[in-house]
Amino acid sequence: MSDTDLGIMDAGQLRELFERGEASPLEATRAALERIDRFNDAVNAYVVVDREGALAAADASSRRWREGRPLSHLDGVPVSLKDLTESAGLPARKGSLTVSGVPCERDSPPARMLREAGAVLLGKTNTPEFGWKAITDNRVFGATANPWDTRLTPGGSSGGAAVAAALNMGVLHQGGDSGGSIRIPASFCGVFGFKPTFGWVPEWPRSKEASLSHLGPLTRTVPDAARMLNVIGRYDYRDPYALRGQPADWGEGLGLGLEGMRIAFSPTLGYARVEPAVAECVRQAACRLETLGAVVEEVDPGFESPICIFNTLWFTASLAVYREHDERQRRLLDSGMVADAKRAERLSALDMFYALKDRARLTEKLEHFNQCYHLVMTPSVAVCPFPLNHDVPPGSGMRDWEEWAPFSYPFNLSQQPAASVPCGFTPDGLPVGFQLAGGKHDDARILRVSHAYLAAFPPAFPEKLDLARAPYLA
């Protein structure tokens, strides 16, 4: 057994240890479970931990490595799935009192692909009900807490996955993003989160607003995100929106420099209000990218806020969920999601028609903009993490999460790839991330720039929690 702390290893380091016989997947899985035992009561990131199944899978992986026949480079690497994602033998409560805790009978594409690669599934991470909002709390499992300050939200809807990544409770974590649900918690927790081009990571069953939903990784490093995408970023016929054409190796260009890379830095996208501490961190990151050889020009893409377009689609999806439940079940639903559904009842078919028309125009503008610039850089989120159990920052006067996350959903509407890259901390010690977005199928370019930045300016991760501030220890 290696003297190295396996609980802080990335997937590449673990593979090297497995290959040399200096550590085993069983030891790595025990180390991941130990970190879950150490941290999860304070942050509530995992809502299901399949200890017995994980140890059995790790034992089988250990035998394969000893015999020199691993299934993939991820064989034996501990992973998690978001609780919206189905995995045979485990429940998927989806944060809802209306969903039973009966184990699923089928694997979603990410679950199937990870199992076939030999990855060790530790369990399921927390999400708001049906992933409807950008914080992580629900009436089944409660709230997930930010690892940097457990009084604050980690964002959402993949908040459990982001917290698990920040604390390395497992190495690779799957999230979903229909309006920022990977990038927002990645920013709030100080980890890397990537939303690939729509259709490149298959999803089935599809989310309610299927044309907005992207699946992707939340990890501590960009190479780990690429390693995960090499497994889950493959075609699956069950997803009616699935596309072919993914990179043969998602991490192939990570070692390339940034010379000649043209990046449009848009601090506000022309319409957003950003908290000064966030704006300062992101502007500093833009300057750092210039020192790495990128050409960074401050310029806006030239479109108005698409919040009305997004909300027409998003609220209508909430209405579809609402109407699929009977009167008894409706009383169990998140009141905020019900309020969105009620707002959608006032929309007409013509409202939807114009929203789709305006969405196409937005996509056209962004794709044209990317002919002049390789990538667009913005803040990931306009605000700092705020207190738990609030959908918007208290005292802000805001009503909807979309108001404090104005940078993320435009790139769901356009179906383009985008990432959140950790870039420092506010004076209060809270993480900040910047967003990189590109044209459709420019995923490798985003990964390349993200990796170059984090290699030059490595992020910090929490190793201790202030347990006196942890609500789940009461």
Side-chain angles (χ1 to χ4, degrees), residues 209 211-212 304-317 344 347-364 409-410 412-415:
E209 216 316 321
S211 71
L212 294 171
E304 296 180 354
S305 170
I307 190 169
C308 292
I309 305 172
F310 181 80
N311 281 348
T312 297
L313 277 63
W314 197 244
F315 294 169
T316 302
L347 297 172
S348 68
L350 193 59
D351 291 325
M352 179 62 74
F353 175 85
Y354 281 120
L356 294 175
K357 183 178 180 180
D358 291 341
R359 179 184 187 178
R361 287 177 175 171
L362 171 66
T363 303
E364 180 182 3
Y409 54 80
N412 294 85
L413 290 168
S414 67
Q415 300 184 334

Side-chain angles (χ1 to χ4, degrees), residues 46-128:
Y46 278 87
V47 295
V48 174
V49 178
D50 184 17
R51 190 177 303 270
E52 182 177 342
L55 291 172
D59 187 50
S61 176
S62 297
R63 290 196 301 271
R64 290 192 293 271
W65 279 104
R66 286 196 302 268
E67 295 168 2
R69 52 179 187 88
L71 298 175
S72 77
H73 286 175
L74 291 191
D75 201 337
V77 173
V79 304
S80 76
L81 296 175
K82 187 175 180 178
D83 199 35
L84 299 180
T85 303
E86 295 193 7
S87 178
L90 295 179
R93 292 297 302 273
K94 305 180 181 182
S96 181
L97 292 170
T98 69
V99 178
S100 77
V102 175
C104 298
E105 297 181 354
R106 57 192 180 183
D107 274 337
S108 62
R112 175 186 64 79
M113 293 170 175
L114 288 167
R115 287 188 201 274
E116 290 175 353
V120 175
L121 177 57
L122 299 172
K124 310 293 286 296
T125 55
N126 205 14
T127 178

